[in-house]
Amino acid sequence: MEFVSSQDSPWALSPDCSPEDQHLRELAVQSPQLIRDNFIFLFFRSLRIVDKGVNEVDENLLKFHNLEELILSANQISKINSAHLPRTLKVLELCGNEIVGLQDLCSHPPPELQHLGLGYNRLLGSSEDKYLTAEFWPNLLSLDLSFNNFTDLMGIVSKLATLWRLRTLVLQGNPLVLIPGYRGFVIDSLPKLCILDDRNISPDEKHQFHGLSSKPDLIVNKAQLVVSVGKIKGIPNPIKLEELESSPESPVISHSYYVTYEFVEREKAEDTNNAEVMKFHQSQMVATPNPGSPPGSADTGGSESPAMSSLHKQEPPANRANRHLTPRKPWAETIECSHRKEHVTGDLVALKAFLMAGTTVTVVEEKVLSWPIAAALAEDGGKKGKADKGKAEEKPKDGGKGNKQKKKKESPVELRSDPPLLRSLGSGRVNLESLLTGDQLVAVVCDFGVLVTEETTQPPSPKEKDGKKSKDKNKKTKTGGENPASQKTTVAAKGKGKNKESPEGKEVQEIQPVPLTVEFQVQLIQWTATFDAQHQ
């Protein structure tokens, strides 16, 4: 007995062994004549075989004449013949297998079964709900159907209503939980139920949804979700960076920012124009070089450029999701997107798959170069155009203020805009699986890290100046005391400053970097108040 009970003994059992294991080991010491096959089969009342690669249950299991609990979770069972199950079973757990149908299991089910676990299987669908009745399971107290593909809420509830002893039910993870009014309809239709989706059913809930089961016309097999995009913070000021290289020939540059996100394809054809816009943007983004990818973003790539890697990450599987974008906003330290969009879909299976995979949120910068039309005509006009251009260059000697005001006034008429240049500033995944497990709101702040911009290059003009001027400009950029910020700049919107001495002896204030963040949330519309008031 000392050898059996001591932890230092080679015959000692592991600390997590069951009391039955310990008792059987002691019997082997005290009464070795009892340890025979028949005795062992009769001895066990619980058998737990988890994640052992089991793919079939054969007739040898019938030797366990007193078996009451059988746990076969996380195996590879595709079908189970109920004729091979001991008739004494009270608990049968088959979670995490590959079962696609219940016909074999219900051909000769254990009559005393009280708990049946079928969660996380090979997508059991609504065609199997006919086997979930008292005809097969007269004594069932607990039923776990989580994370399968049941979509017909009223159909499955009508079958479960025959299980008059049922007290615990788990349906979370099925597409039908996305239907508004799901929880209230189940609670009112199964009045004896005590626990639904691992949450106790309170008397208040029963009162709130009383009478909903008698109005099935209120239950529509469509899901409603609302996506909201709030504030964007941490984008550097693009105007300050480009003022360093501005010149009379430089184009008028405008910047705008928006957020894109994926969402499951809708039933209605309201987003056709939006989809076409996104196709155009995708082609533009592929052709646009990305100066750099911020640390902390979801972009990863081997030999690919950061821009291409970001695009591949954002690309959803075919026919799985559409990309949506928020309205464009000009730069600000805090950009208020104030975007709210309702998505309605009747393809609940596709919506479940989308929520399991999550969505991609991306911050995009759109840069538009607008050139003076006069400069473009001068380029085609030869010497005459050069002379006119020279005269135009002699005018702005008042500090450039009057010229800037004139550009602003004449920009709608006098400027020709190039196609927009798009750049992904940050991209990452948002997990939405909790919407399938009872949560009605996923609200996150996507943090893409501190945005680091690479060397800023002057955009090309319609016609370059002569070689001397371009060389002088390059020398000034390399040797000038005010241009280190144009080489590589860590930009932040807010922070505490620290004083540093520049090479010229002047004090320069460093700004604490601020990460690029976006407020993003998805809300699942469900009835939480009395159903009639909510319906109105």
Side-chain angles (χ1 to χ4, degrees), residues 2-13:
E2 183 179 353
F3 276 120
V4 171
S5 58
S6 173
Q7 291 301 317
D8 298 326
S9 168
W11 294 279
L13 290 172

Side-chain angles (χ1 to χ4, degrees), residues 293-300 425-429 446-451 515-516:
S293 179
S297 72
D299 299 343
T300 57
L425 303 181
S427 181
R429 299 295 285 182
C446 303
D447 189 344
F448 303 126
V450 177
L451 186 62
L516 175 63

Side-chain angles (χ1 to χ4, degrees), residues 7 25 54 86 131 149 158 173 299 307 409 430 457 484 491 495 501:
Q7 291 301 317
R25 185 63 63 90
V54 177
Y131 298 109
N149 260 13
S158 65
D299 299 343
K409 291 180 181 178
V430 176
T457 57
V491 188
E501 279 200 11

